Structure formats: C-alpha cells, structure tokens
Amino acid sequence: MQRSSSWVPPGTDLDRPNAARIYDYFLGGSHNFPADREMARQAISLWPDLPMIMRSNRAFLRRAVQYLAGEGITRFLDLGSGIPTFGAVHEIAQEVHPETRVVYVDMDPVAVAHSRLLVRDDPHVEVVEADVRDPYGLLAQAPVAELLHPGEPVAVLLVAVLHFVSDEADPPGIVAALRDALPPGSALALSHASLEGRPDQAGAHQELYARTRTPLTMRSRAQITAYFDGFELVDPGVVYLPEWRPETPDAVGPHPERMTGLAGVGRRP
Ligand code: SAM
C-alpha cells in the first residue's frame, strides 16, 4: 500500500494508475505515485512520443485560452481540468482579464484536492468534483450554474477528456447538453486522441489505459469534428494539436500528425 501525502484525500486508491496523475507525470509534475509512474513508463516504452504529445496538448490549451481571452471571454468552465501542473487556465486567462472567473471540474479526487489548494486564495476560481458523463448533474452544481447564469459568454474546455468517455456514455450527447446550456457567443475548445496520425499505436495504448478507471477511446477525425455541431469552427478548424494557431510557423514542426491529437475551437452563434 502506497503511503499517502498530506494533499491526497483519504480513501484515494494510490495503487491503481490514474489518468490525471499519469498525465501529470508526462508533463513533469510531482503529483503522481509509483503505480502511475510505472504505467507511464510502460506507455513511453511502447510509444516514445507520448511526453511530447502531452506537452503539445497542454500548449494547445494555453493558445486556445489566450485566444478566447483575447476575444473578450471572461468565464471559463474547464471540464476534466486535471492537476494544474504548468500554466493553469485561470493564470493564463487572468493575464488578459484579471477578473476572469474559472470553474475547474474533474472527477478525480486527487486532481480536485490539489486544484483546491492551488486556487484557495483566488475568489474568482472554484473547483467542483463532478463527472462529465452526467452533464445535467454537472450543470446543476452551484458554481457551474452561477457561472452560466447571468448570460455572459462562457468558454467550455473539453481538452483531452472526451477520449476517457466511452461510446456507451454518448459523448456527442454530452457535448450537445452542454452546448444547449450556453449563452450565445459562448465557445467550445476541445482536443481528443485520434485514431489518425499513428494508427499503429492505437491498439496497444488503449489496452494500457484499460487498466485505469478511465479507459481510452481514440476516435476518428469525423467523430471529433462532429462534437462541434451547433458551433461555428474558428480558423483553422479541427487540426493536429500543433497546427492550431501556432505562435510561429516553425512551431508546427515537420510532422504534426505525430502528435496524433486533434483540436479545435468553435463559437456558438
Ligand atoms: N484538461 C487538462 C489538460 O488537457 O491539460 C487535463 C487532461 S487529463 C489528460 C484528463 C483529465 O480528465 C483527468 O484529470 C481525468 O481525471 C479527467 N476525467 C476523465 N474522465 C472524466 C469524467 N468522466 N468526468 C470528469 N473528469 C474526467
């Protein structure tokens, strides 16, 4: 049995690898345990590009938040927010508008506990433990309902989370339920592990994550694009992670398909 750290909620199963903490390890964070590190190492030995892919995802999140804040959005609902290792959403957005409100939502108690510690002094930020597979329950949580209530545009972030939602839980239905609760002018930023780019890696990688509480379902470009039904896709549409509004043309690199994740941002008319 793994000894617990002070910020880990009692009852957390530290012996079973967990997606939030594996991702933290990939990003170079310290909120992970031996079971998480062991699985991350196995995943990297199968697919050495993985840490680069995770950093590319996190860089997309940063650019998407900077873009949306630059468009005047001051409310963010970050679903599957994880452990805010580097560049938390509220820090990025508050650089543009210091009063920006952010609600972080994750179903992992460790991610939630650590996020609460990190933002406890910021009156504009709240953290909610909830499951995106129950969108109506999530929307009914007081901090989320308050964020949506006064009718200002809200950016919903579903970054690297829907691939942890199985087909049975109807991810397109979840996105549609969220979309219908959003005021006009709101936005969706989404990234998702795709079956394209490196189809040779999909099977082994999905098998590894089958050991966690959150198995992985990689999806096609058509399925990922369909999440934006009812939104107008912002240029350049749904593209590989580094291709979404790179800071410089060189930042894309010669093989963006190696990052395999697809990403996009849409606005609600
Ligand atoms: N969004 C952050 C980012 O892209 O940097 C973190 C992504 S991390 C790979 C995925 C997160 O989604 C984990 O923290 C995991 O706990 C969370 N997650 C997975 N399934 C979820 C669900 N059904 N409801 C809420 N959170 C979920």
Side-chain angles (χ1 to χ4, degrees):
M1 174 58 111
Q2 170 67 33
R3 259 189 56 233
S4 182
S5 305
S6 57
W7 50 268
V8 177
T12 305
D13 181 0
L14 301 183
D15 294 321
R16 188 168 183 196
N18 165 290
R21 304 192 300 255
I22 293 166
Y23 181 65
D24 176 69
Y25 177 80
F26 280 133
L27 290 177
S30 56
H31 295 90
N32 48 72
F33 299 99
D36 309 311
R37 294 195 278 276
E38 174 54 27
M39 189 176 136
R41 282 193 283 262
Q42 282 181 36
I44 293 169
S45 67
L46 277 172
W47 192 351
D49 282 350
L50 280 177
M52 200 166 64
I53 293 171
M54 306 294 171
R55 285 197 294 274
S56 185
N57 177 67
R58 197 75 189 168
F60 160 72
L61 172 68
R62 189 190 65 240
R63 297 195 304 278
V65 171
Q66 281 168 340
Y67 168 79
L68 292 165
E71 290 285 292
I73 292 193
T74 59
R75 290 167 185 239
F76 287 79
L77 178 59
D78 187 3
L79 303 178
S81 46
I83 298 171
T85 307
F86 297 119
V89 167
H90 69 285
E91 290 167 354
I92 301 165
Q94 288 175 353
E95 266 178 32
V96 185
H97 303 288
E99 307 274 290
T100 297
R101 290 171 61 183
V102 177
V103 177
Y104 290 113
V105 177
D106 205 285
M107 71 170 192
D108 175 43
V110 171
V112 168
H114 188 63
S115 302
R116 285 198 175 124
L117 264 183
L118 196 97
V119 303
R120 63 181 177 235
D121 296 327
D122 189 329
H124 303 299
V125 183
E126 304 229 35
V127 185
V128 169
E129 185 173 334
D131 191 324
V132 297
R133 290 171 296 185
D134 173 16
Y136 297 108
L138 164 63
L139 291 166
Q141 295 254 4
V144 179
E146 279 159 26
L147 191 77
L148 294 169
H149 179 65
E152 276 196 40
V154 175
V156 172
L157 311 178
L158 278 166
V159 178
V161 60
L162 283 183
H163 46 235
F164 295 118
V165 174
S166 67
D167 291 340
E168 293 75 58
D170 185 21
I174 293 171
V175 180
L178 295 168
R179 178 197 65 212
D180 293 345
L182 294 176
S186 292
L188 170 68
L190 182 146
S191 71
H192 197 295
S194 88
L195 287 165
E196 292 160 43
R198 291 294 304 273
D200 53 314
Q201 292 289 1
H205 200 58
Q206 291 182 109
E207 264 170 45
L208 263 181
Y209 271 83
R211 287 196 228 156
T212 68
R213 232 181 112 207
T214 47
L216 187 67
T217 307
M218 293 161 133
R219 295 191 169 94
S220 68
R221 184 184 289 263
Q223 286 173 305
I224 296 167
T225 304
Y227 291 131
F228 289 97
D229 283 355
F231 292 88
E232 285 169 3
L233 273 169
V234 164
D235 231 28
V238 174
V239 291
Y240 288 115
L241 291 163
E243 293 175 317
W244 198 87
R245 295 183 176 248
E247 272 150 18
T248 63
D250 290 353
V252 176
H255 292 292
E257 75 286 356
R258 272 179 68 184
M259 297 305 132
T260 64
L262 289 169
V265 173
R267 291 298 293 266
R268 204 168 169 235

